[in-house]
């Protein structure tokens, strides 16, 4: 099996698995219990919190654990908006956000809040100038993702944050795809809230975290909640948090080398497909404004679903977009944001690379795609 769907979910690393088992065996007590075992579990929880805070140069009290990226986005946005809303609030997001972010803003619209959706250019980036023109006197919140899960395009967070901070607008960013892959230092980055997920960085599913700056106000979504400083109800998943933290440490330590290696795999993939470059449309940008891990593309004359099923027959796993939208017949969020025609949108498929992929796997995948094209065009491969 060749797994090339890491933007959807990563396999747990041995380090993360080991941390999970150890925590489940030795730190099984409720972190809110007052006995010795409970205190022991609480100490591990706070150690994990401090470790994650260190990665992004935050304070431990600014890190709150969740059940994953979707809940991180929803709780962060709900908590911030609830505490800072006005009678005529205006909020801003982009047309290319994750479905969890869009669901929050769509709900606000149904409740009468004015929402502005920023468009994207041909590469998938928002315009900072358009953002400036969209801000109003009553704008209270903006949410712009760091890295798009379908194309890997990187938004200019520092520029965006600087504009929003000057205008007094609270800035949240979905960093699920960028966490530990790109440097994120909140002491230098003008952001107020960030969302993370464990299963995108070789940690377990059902784990995530939110960074909430101590400089902003937020309200508990669920009254009487005591866990995670009132941010999220329910007993914390300590084994999952320990595994998430272990995976984050490991991933962060190999951030620079991992980026270089993934870039090599990406370049190898396109070199192998060079004979058919004229048939490809690769979404995003060819410069540093794109995370190399994610390759969103289409092949003229071939539906993405056909490529996916063909590769699947050979044990190669890819996707046709965000796993959170699987089963839907509508074009993906990013394809709509890019104003792709229905035909162009149907061509789209995504290959997302991981640090455990080998060059041989990339070459094999390219060979199958070439075979697929030769076969369909009645040519002999070789």
């Amino acid at each position: 099996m060749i797994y090339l769907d890491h933007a959807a979910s990563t396999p747990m690393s041995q380090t993360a698995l080991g941390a999970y088992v150890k925590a489940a065996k030795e730190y099984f007590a409720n972190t809110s219990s007052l006995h010795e075992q409970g205190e022991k579990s609480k100490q591990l929880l706070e150690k994990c919190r401090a470790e994650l805070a260190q990665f992004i140069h935050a304070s431990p009290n600014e890190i709150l654990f969740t059940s994953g990226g979707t809940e991180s986005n929803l709780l962060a946005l709900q908590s911030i908006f609830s505490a800072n809303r006005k009678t005529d609030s205006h909020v801003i997001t982009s047309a290319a956000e994750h479905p969890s972010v869009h669901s929050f803003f769509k709900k606000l619209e149904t409740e009468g809040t004015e929402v502005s959706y920023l468009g994207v250019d041909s590469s998938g980036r928002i315009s900072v100038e358009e953002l400036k023109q969209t801000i109003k006197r009553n704008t209270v919140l903006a949410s712009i993702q760091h890295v798009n899960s379908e194309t890997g395009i990187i938004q200019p967070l520092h520029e965006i944050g600087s504009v929003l901070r000057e205008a007094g607008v609270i800035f949240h960013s979905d960093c699920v795809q960028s966490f530990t892959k790109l440097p994120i230092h909140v002491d230098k980055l003008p952001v107020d809230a960030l969302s993370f997920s464990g299963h995108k960085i070789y940690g377990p599913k059902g784990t995530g975290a939110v960074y909430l700056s101590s400089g902003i106000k937020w309200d508990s979504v669920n009254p009487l909640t005591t866990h995670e400083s009132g941010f999220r109800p329910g007993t914390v998943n300590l084994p999952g948090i320990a595994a998430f933290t272990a995976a984050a440490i490991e991933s962060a330590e190999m951030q620079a080398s991992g980026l270089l290696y993934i870039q090599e795999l990406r370049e190898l993939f396109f070199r192998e497909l060079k004979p058919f470059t004229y048939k490809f449309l690769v979404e995003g940008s060819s410069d540093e404004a794109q995370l190399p891990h994610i390759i969103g593309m289409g092949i003229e004359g071939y539906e993405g679903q056909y490529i996916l099923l063909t590769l699947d027959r050979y044990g190669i796993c890819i996707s046709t977009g965000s796993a959170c939208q699987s089963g839907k017949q509508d074009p993906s969020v990013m394809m709509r944001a890019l104003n792709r025609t229905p035909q162009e949108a149907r061509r789209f498929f995504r290959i997302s690379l991981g640090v455990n992929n080998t060059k041989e796997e990339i070459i094999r995948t390219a060979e199958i795609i070439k075979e697929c094209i030769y076969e369909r065009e009645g040519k002999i491969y070789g």
Side-chain angles (χ1 to χ4, degrees), residues 32 64-65 71 75 79 218-236:
S32 295
L64 301 165
F65 290 107
E71 188 182 52
L75 284 183
S79 300
W218 61 273
D219 285 339
S220 177
V221 173
N222 300 289
L224 305 182
T225 297
T226 57
H227 290 285
E228 291 304 284
S229 302
F231 186 69
R232 179 181 186 268
T235 303
V236 297

Side-chain angles (χ1 to χ4, degrees), residues 12 26 74 83 89 107 109 111 123 132 150 240 255 260 278 280-281 291 322 354 358 381:
M12 279 184 69
E26 300 179 20
L74 289 173
S89 294
K107 186 173 186 294
E109 283 187 294
E111 297 170 350
S123 72
K132 290 179 183 178
E150 296 178 67
Q255 185 178 97
L260 287 174
Y278 68 96
F280 297 155
L281 172 62
L291 189 72
S322 171
T358 66
Y381 178 63

Side-chain angles (χ1 to χ4, degrees), residues 97-332:
E97 298 299 312
H98 187 269
S100 62
V101 172
H102 276 173
S103 71
F104 168 77
F105 285 104
K106 291 297 181 184
K107 186 173 186 294
L108 287 191
E109 283 187 294
T110 66
E111 297 170 350
T113 300
E114 183 186 3
V115 181
S116 292
Y117 294 89
L118 301 175
V120 297
D121 61 20
S122 59
S123 72
R125 287 188 122 198
I126 71 161
S127 164
V128 176
E129 284 305 311
E130 182 187 358
L131 172 63
K132 290 179 183 178
Q133 296 167 12
T134 304
I135 296 172
K136 302 181 179 184
R137 59 162 185 80
N138 57 336
T139 306
V140 296
L141 172 66
S143 181
I144 307 294
Q145 65 191 189
H146 192 188
V147 170
N148 183 265
S149 64
E150 296 178 67
T151 64
I153 198 68
I154 303 170
Q155 300 294 348
L157 286 199
H158 198 281
E159 291 179 65
I160 293 168
S162 297
V163 168
L164 292 171
R165 182 152 294 181
E166 185 176 348
V169 178
I170 296 172
F171 180 26
H172 164 266
S173 183
D174 174 356
C175 292
V176 164
Q177 294 294 341
S178 61
F179 182 53
T180 73
K181 299 182 184 76
L182 296 174
I184 300 173
H185 296 165
V186 297
D187 56 339
K188 299 178 181 178
L189 195 62
V191 296
D192 302 297
L194 304 173
S195 299
F196 312 121
S197 178
H199 74 109
K200 309 292 188 181
I201 61 167
Y202 308 94
K205 296 176 181 64
T207 59
V210 167
Y211 158 74
L212 277 180
S213 169
S214 58
I216 63 169
K217 294 187 299 180
W218 61 273
D219 285 339
S220 177
V221 173
N222 300 289
L224 305 182
T225 297
T226 57
H227 290 285
E228 291 304 284
S229 302
F231 186 69
R232 179 181 186 268
T235 303
V236 297
N237 174 13
L238 188 54
I241 289 170
F244 171 30
T245 304
I249 292 172
E250 189 173 44
S251 184
E253 285 176 347
M254 59 186 302
Q255 185 178 97
S257 61
L259 268 174
L260 287 174
Y261 180 64
I262 295 294
Q263 185 63 46
E264 288 179 15
L265 295 183
R266 183 188 182 95
E267 291 171 358
L268 173 62
F269 177 70
F270 286 118
R271 280 202 305 273
E272 291 295 313
L273 291 176
K274 193 171 183 181
F276 295 105
T277 301
Y278 68 96
K279 296 181 73 68
F280 297 155
L281 172 62
V282 180
E283 302 290 355
S285 170
S286 59
D287 58 20
E288 68 279 359
Q290 190 160 25
L291 189 72
H293 301 61
I294 299 174
I295 302 171
M297 61 185 293
I299 303 176
E300 184 181 351
Y302 298 81
E303 288 198 5
Q305 189 76 0
Y306 175 80
I307 300 296
L308 181 152
L309 293 173
T310 298
L311 290 175
D312 191 48
R313 288 202 301 271
Y314 290 89
I316 303 172
C317 306
I318 67 166
S319 74
T320 53
S322 171
C324 296
Q325 293 180 289
S326 63
K328 292 186 178 181
Q329 299 302 312
D330 297 333
S332 72

